[in-house]
Structure formats: C-alpha cells, structure tokens
Amino acid sequence: MCGRFALTSTPDAVQSLLAVTDFEPFPPRYNIAPTQPILMAMSGPTRAPGSNLPARQTMLVRWGLIPSWAKNPADLSLLFNARSETAAEKASFRTAMRHRRTLVPANGFYEWRRVGSKKAEPYWIRPKHGGLIAFGGLMESWSEPGGTEMDTGAILTTEANQDLRGIHHRMPVVIQPEDFERWLDCLNQEPRHVADLLKPAQPDFFEAVPVSDRVNKVANVGPDLQERVERREEARSAPKPCDDGGQLDLF
C-alpha cells in the first residue's frame, strides 16, 4: 500500500532523474495524499527523425485513478493504488497498463504498522542511499459529462520485501533508472514484457524511520514530519490484515 508519500528534492534533481524539461518549479511536498495533484512522467509523442523534442513528458494528475468508462466516480472507491499482480487484467487498470505507464518521482513514502489493538504507528520509509526514486504508475484520462477532461493516476504496489513486511504487507513498485525506457515504452513493450519489473525492492534498499503521528493529518505538511521519534519497538510480527487502500479487487 502507498497512501502517502513525499517529493522534496529540487526540480533540477527531478529533471535529471527523469530526463524531462517541461514542468514548472515546485516547492518541497512532505505529505502528499490521495486526491491531491502528483507529478508523473511518461513517454512523449512520437518524434520525427532528427527532432530535438524530449523523449518524455510530465503532467500533473489527480492521485486517484478514474477509469475512462466510469459514469460517476462517486460510485467507485478511490483507486490510488493498483495491484501490480493483477493490473493487466483488471478493467479499471488494464488499458492504462497497456498504453499509459508512468513514473512517479518520490523521496520515500509513509506506512503505518498496526499490531493487535494498538494504534497504528507511522514510519517514514526512504531509500538508504537517499535522494530520488521513481514509483511505477498508471495514468488515465476521464471526461466529465460536460466534456471537461481530468488526468488521473495510481501508484502500482507489490508484496513488501523482507525488510518492510513487518510494517505492512504491500509496498510501492520501484522502477530503477536503467529500466525507465523499457517501462515507459508502451508502443513496443506489452505488460507481459515488463512484468519482471513489478517486484519488491531489493533487501536493504529502504530504511524505515519511526515518525510522529502528525503525518496522519493531511494539513500537516512541514519537514518535521520526517524527524525520527523514539519509540519502544516490540518484537516484529506480521502486520494485522487491513484495507488495501484503493487496490480494488472488484474491477
């Protein structure tokens, strides 16, 4: 599951990672939540030979994918995550999985660990090497009855790796820079050709930092949300099964 994440690197760092140039500068965002705008990168239009146009383009989309066929989004749960294991078959995601795969730049994400009846405890989960990473994402455009078009998106998830499964059983899919081109190439690479990229991050890729429950409120958006707090760690055990947060099986 990925229900909150952060993008705090500079626009220059994002441009360098994604090899894009077409977005406006933005401030650090420490607590990005579903329904808010998120940055996505995808393959650009087909270029003529010798063109100097960038191979990738960026867009701001609503975090919470609305299938193009949806009549009334209020009738659907908020699809901010998509299970990578079934996205190619699910009606809500299969068209985007075939034609509109994206990258979502991030510096890490938040997850909550619940053991027994205790209140869930939040963690800031970041790459040990620091810096930027890119989640695998999907984009879909939805047209309102009046004709207004809205770009929407979801983040792909997979089983948690051994380092994180004591906190939650799901984690976002991380696409490595050497795989960006293949992942974004929806003209030549069908979902079956990129299925090998939909896997948990390698052990020791992430570290989990216990943080304050101030992150629970979307109104709290400062850098203090990522500060380590002292917490008595109980023996690690499997997290309590919980709502998959936007990863619908119905569709």
Side-chain angles (χ1 to χ4, degrees):
M1 178 176 172
C2 178
R4 301 282 180 83
F5 72 100
L7 177 57
T8 58
S9 290
T10 65
D12 285 347
V14 174
Q15 289 176 339
S16 177
L17 175 71
L18 301 179
V20 294
T21 60
D22 60 339
F23 63 87
E24 296 294 325
F26 54 83
R29 300 178 66 194
Y30 291 91
N31 195 8
I32 303 172
T35 74
Q36 294 179 353
I38 63 173
L39 184 68
M40 285 187 164
M42 60 191 305
S43 289
T46 302
R47 298 175 296 170
S51 171
N52 60 359
L53 292 175
R56 299 171 190 162
Q57 62 184 9
T58 60
M59 60 178 60
L60 286 177
V61 310
R62 170 192 183 264
W63 187 16
L65 187 143
I66 304 175
S68 60
W69 46 259
K71 301 298 183 184
N72 182 5
D75 294 336
L76 299 176
S77 295
L78 186 60
L79 302 175
F80 56 87
N81 286 164
R83 284 181 176 270
S84 61
E85 299 91 337
T86 57
E89 289 80 40
K90 296 292 185 179
S92 291
F93 306 120
R94 63 188 175 209
T95 301
M97 188 69 184
R98 178 62 184 91
H99 299 289
R100 287 175 292 279
R101 297 190 298 266
T102 70
L103 297 169
V104 182
N107 291 91
F109 64 103
Y110 299 96
E111 195 52 86
W112 283 258
R113 177 174 180 245
R114 186 187 299 278
V115 178
S117 59
K118 288 185 61 178
K119 183 179 179 181
E121 299 173 333
Y123 289 80
W124 164 235
I125 299 174
R126 64 190 181 191
K128 283 188 175 181
H129 59 70
L132 270 170
I133 54 176
F135 301 144
L138 302 174
M139 195 282 285
E140 188 66 87
S141 294
W142 178 75
S143 295
E144 296 177 320
T148 302
E149 192 172 86
M150 179 190 305
D151 293 326
T152 68
I155 291 173
L156 286 155
T157 66
T158 186
E159 292 184 356
N161 65 13
Q162 64 186 45
D163 297 326
L164 300 183
R165 65 174 61 117
I167 297 175
H168 197 276
H169 62 288
R170 304 291 295 178
M171 68 184 298
V173 169
V174 177
I175 306 296
Q176 297 297 332
E178 59 268 26
D179 297 316
F180 285 179
E181 184 172 358
R182 182 158 66 100
W183 171 251
L184 294 178
D185 183 6
C186 296
L187 290 177
N188 303 300
Q189 304 290 328
E190 297 180 13
R192 61 191 174 93
H193 297 139
V194 294
D196 61 299
L197 303 181
L198 304 176
K199 59 188 178 183
Q202 291 293 317
D204 293 326
F205 183 84
F206 283 114
E207 61 180 351
V209 179
V211 294
S212 164
D213 62 7
R214 294 188 70 252
V215 72
N216 296 2
K217 296 184 178 180
V218 296
N220 295 329
V221 295
D224 59 298
L225 297 180
Q226 296 175 0
E227 293 177 358
R228 182 184 296 271
V229 299
E230 295 300 322
R231 183 182 297 158
R232 178 177 171 269
E233 295 289 341
E234 298 180 359
R236 283 193 175 273
S237 58
K240 180 180 178 182
C242 60
D243 189 330
D244 278 328
Q247 301 176 94
L248 283 188
D249 289 326
L250 177 60
F251 297 99

